[in-house]
Amino acid sequence: MSDLKYLSGFGSEFSSEDPRRPGALPEGRNTPQRCAYGLYAEQLSGSAFTAPRNDNRRTWFYRIRPSVVHKPFKRLDVAKHLTHNWDEQEPDPNQSRWLPFDLPTTPVDFVSGLHTVCGAGDPRARNGLAIHVYLCNKSMERSAFYSSDGDLLIVPQQGTLRITTEFGIMEVAPNEIAVVQLGMRFAVTVDGPSRGYILEVFDGHFKLPDLGPIGANGLANPRDFLTPVAKYHDEDNIDFTIISKYQGALFAAQQRHSPFDVVAWHGNYVPYKYNLANFMVINSVSFDHCDPSIFTVLTCPSTKPGVAIADFVIFPPRWSVQEDTFRPPYYHRNCMSEFMGLILGAYEAKEGGFVPGGASLHSAMTPHGPDAPSFRAASRAELSPQKIAVGTQAFMFESSLSMAITKWGAETCKKLDAKYHECWQALPKLFSDKINV
Ligand code: FE2
C-alpha cells in the first residue's frame, strides 16, 4: 500500500522515528535518565551480548510501555498441528509430494492456521529448523505473536499479508518474502484466504551468502531489502493477547495496551521484506549446470564452514543458454534435505503434480530429478537460448539436517501424493549398442 514507507539495506544500523513525535529518538545516549515524551527505553537482543561485532544484533526501542507489562503466560490451545515432535511418525526416506494444502472453511487466523510439515532439531538446544505452512482466512485481532524459538522466513503463496510489527508495518505479497526474527512481535492482517510457507531456524540468523568470485554485485542485493519505519499505536484499556511460541508450544499473556507502541527505534536487528523479482540471476553458463546454490537468496549458516542449517533458494525466470547440455535439473542424490514449494506457475522439471500451494520433500540421499515426460522433452529439445520459468517461482528450503515429517504432514492433511514415485517409473532403458542414440 502506498502509505507504507521503508528503510533499505541488509544488516545495516537503522534508526526510525514516528513523525508524530519528533525528537523521540535520543541522541548520544541509548538509555537517557528520562526519555523524551515519557517513553521507556528497551533493548531487544538478537545475539549474545558478546557476539563478534559482525554478528552482533540488537535494537533499542523507545516505547509507551515496556514489554514486561503483561499478565503471566498460560498455555494456549490453538494451532493443534504446530509441533516440534519429530517422532510422531516412523522415519520415511521416500520422495514426498503434497498437493496444495487446503485453505480453511471456518474462520482461522495466522497463528491458529500454523501447521508443521517437517523439521529437525530442538529450539531448547538452539539447533535445528521447522517448516510450517500457514492456512488462514481471518486477520489477527488484538493479538500479537512472536517466536521465542527462531527466526521466521515467511513465503506468501496466496493472499497479501499486512504485517504489523513493533518496528512498523510491512505489506508482503506473493513473490515477496518477509523475515521476522527471533522475539519480534507481529500481527498479521489478511485480505482473504491466505496460504504460504514458513521456514523457522532455531540458531543464528539469515544472512546474505558470500559472493566469492561473483564479486560485489549479484544474487540478492542488500539495497533491495526493506525494513519498516516506526509507526506507533497509542491504545489503552483494551484487551490484548501476546502469544509466544516457546519450545514448540504456544502460550498467551493478557495485557491492557497495544504492544505496537514503539515511537522510535534504532538498531541492526530488524524485520525485513524482499521482492524475489529483484534477484539478480547468475546462471547463463556456456555448458552444464551451476549447482542450485547459485540461486541462494538467504542462508542461515551452521557452525561448519559452508554448511547451512537452511538455505532459502529460488528458481526464478532466467535465460537458459547452455550448449550441448541436458538443461533441466540433473538427476541427483544430495546429503542435504530439500523441501520445495511453488509460489506460482509451473515448475520446469515436472509436468504436473507439483503445483502452487503444494510442496515436495527429497530427503538426504534420496534420489530425484526430472520426471519421464520432462526428460523426454528436454533430451530432444532444440538448444537455442530460451527464457525459462517465465511466470513461475519455485523455491527450496535446503537443510543439512535430516528432517522428519509430522503426523499432520504425513496423514492428517490428506495431501500426500501416494503415487509420486510413479513419475519416474516410465523412464525407459535407453542403453544401446549404438554410441549415438
Ligand atoms: Fe534436488
Side-chain angles (χ1 to χ4, degrees):
M1 266 190 193
S2 57
D3 63 325
L4 301 180
K5 294 189 175 65
Y6 297 95
L7 308 164
S8 68
F10 188 95
S12 304
E13 175 88 18
F14 295 115
S15 64
S16 185
E17 180 180 86
D18 192 313
R20 290 173 289 170
R21 288 290 186 278
L25 195 66
E27 291 183 15
R29 296 280 186 282
N30 290 329
T31 54
Q33 185 181 21
R34 285 193 298 279
C35 295
Y37 300 110
L39 296 169
Y40 287 89
E42 178 183 275
Q43 182 174 228
L44 180 68
S45 292
S47 61
F49 297 143
T50 49
R53 186 172 283 268
N54 274 348
D55 297 322
N56 210 299
R57 295 284 182 272
R58 64 90 180 85
T59 281
W60 281 98
F61 290 130
Y62 300 93
R63 60 194 316 156
I64 298 172
R65 287 186 181 80
S67 302
V68 71
V69 184
H70 67 81
K71 299 282 173 45
F73 281 101
K74 294 177 183 168
R75 186 69 191 262
L76 181 65
D77 190 22
V78 298
K80 291 183 175 60
H81 303 296
L82 179 72
T83 181
H84 293 344
N85 180 358
W86 313 126
D87 296 319
E88 292 178 331
Q89 299 288 117
E90 289 290 312
D92 181 1
N94 283 302
Q95 302 93 350
S96 299
R97 183 166 72 184
W98 290 268
L99 297 168
F101 299 105
D102 284 337
L103 290 156
T105 52
T106 56
V108 175
D109 72 10
F110 179 84
V111 175
S112 298
L114 291 171
H115 299 73
T116 309
V117 181
C118 55
D122 185 351
R124 291 171 296 189
R126 289 275 178 244
N127 187 53
L129 79 162
I131 294 175
H132 317 282
V133 291
Y134 65 85
L135 304 163
C136 59
N137 51 17
K138 173 177 170 263
S139 298
M140 291 170 66
E141 291 175 7
R142 294 199 171 173
S143 64
F145 175 64
Y146 68 98
S147 175
S148 309
D149 294 335
D151 287 12
L152 303 171
L153 189 157
I154 302 168
V155 184
Q157 184 272 317
Q158 177 177 333
T160 294
L161 305 182
R162 190 174 174 93
I163 304 178
T164 300
T165 75
E166 295 168 281
F167 300 76
I169 300 170
M170 298 189 290
E171 196 150 284
V172 188
N175 215 37
E176 297 182 311
I177 60 159
V179 174
V180 182
Q181 306 192 70
L182 178 72
M184 296 175 179
R185 294 171 174 198
F186 67 104
V188 176
T189 302
V190 299
D191 60 5
S194 300
R195 176 170 53 203
Y197 311 84
I198 299 178
L199 169 60
E200 182 176 21
V201 290
F202 302 149
D203 182 22
H205 299 296
F206 290 102
K207 297 179 171 179
L208 290 170
D210 286 330
L211 294 181
I214 292 174
N217 304 286
L219 308 188
N221 287 312
R223 64 182 296 197
D224 294 322
F225 287 79
L226 304 178
T227 292
V229 300
K231 189 178 179 70
Y232 71 86
H233 299 220
D234 183 10
E235 292 179 293
D236 275 315
N237 300 316
I238 56 171
D239 290 321
F240 212 102
T241 305
I242 307 294
I243 302 170
S244 172
K245 176 176 173 289
Y246 178 79
Q247 297 186 2
L250 295 183
F251 296 84
Q254 304 301 318
Q255 62 184 44
R256 294 284 290 159
H257 66 280
S258 170
F260 304 120
D261 63 350
V262 175
V263 178
W265 57 264
H266 78 89
N268 60 1
Y269 189 52
V270 296
Y272 52 87
K273 63 173 263 184
Y274 175 72
N275 186 338
L276 300 176
N278 288 326
F279 189 82
M280 177 180 161
V281 177
I282 296 177
N283 192 43
S284 298
V285 295
S286 54
F287 62 89
D288 287 350
H289 288 259
C290 296
D291 287 316
S293 48
I294 200 73
F295 299 120
T296 302
V297 180
L298 290 165
T299 182
C300 177
S302 75
T303 53
K304 293 182 193 169
V307 179
I309 290 292
D311 286 331
F312 173 60
V313 177
I314 59 173
F315 301 95
R318 59 198 184 275
W319 281 97
S320 189
V321 300
Q322 306 100 305
E323 296 175 330
D324 190 24
T325 297
F326 179 76
R327 287 180 175 175
Y330 41 79
Y331 293 100
H332 63 287
R333 295 177 294 161
N334 189 353
C335 62
M336 308 279 277
S337 306
E338 303 178 14
F339 178 93
M340 286 190 64
L342 189 59
I343 300 169
L344 48 106
Y347 180 57
E348 65 213 70
K350 297 284 188 300
E351 289 221 330
F354 181 60
V355 293
S360 66
L361 176 65
H362 300 133
S363 296
M365 291 306 170
T366 295
H368 55 285
D371 60 18
S374 300
F375 174 83
R376 200 176 303 118
S379 54
R380 289 163 172 74
E382 189 187 340
L383 294 182
S384 54
Q386 186 185 6
K387 190 85 179 278
I388 61 169
V390 175
T392 82
Q393 194 68 270
F395 71 90
M396 177 164 66
F397 298 149
E398 185 175 27
S399 175
S400 61
L401 304 183
S402 187
M403 292 192 278
I405 299 176
T406 61
K407 189 172 193 316
W408 184 81
E411 293 179 4
T412 317
C413 73
K414 294 188 168 62
K415 291 295 162 185
L416 203 56
D417 178 359
K419 296 182 175 176
Y420 182 29
H421 67 284
E422 292 180 2
C423 75
W424 294 288
Q425 303 311 309
L427 283 165
K429 178 181 178 181
L430 299 172
F431 188 54
S432 163
D433 54 3
K434 299 189 184 72
I435 190 167
N436 294 313
V437 294

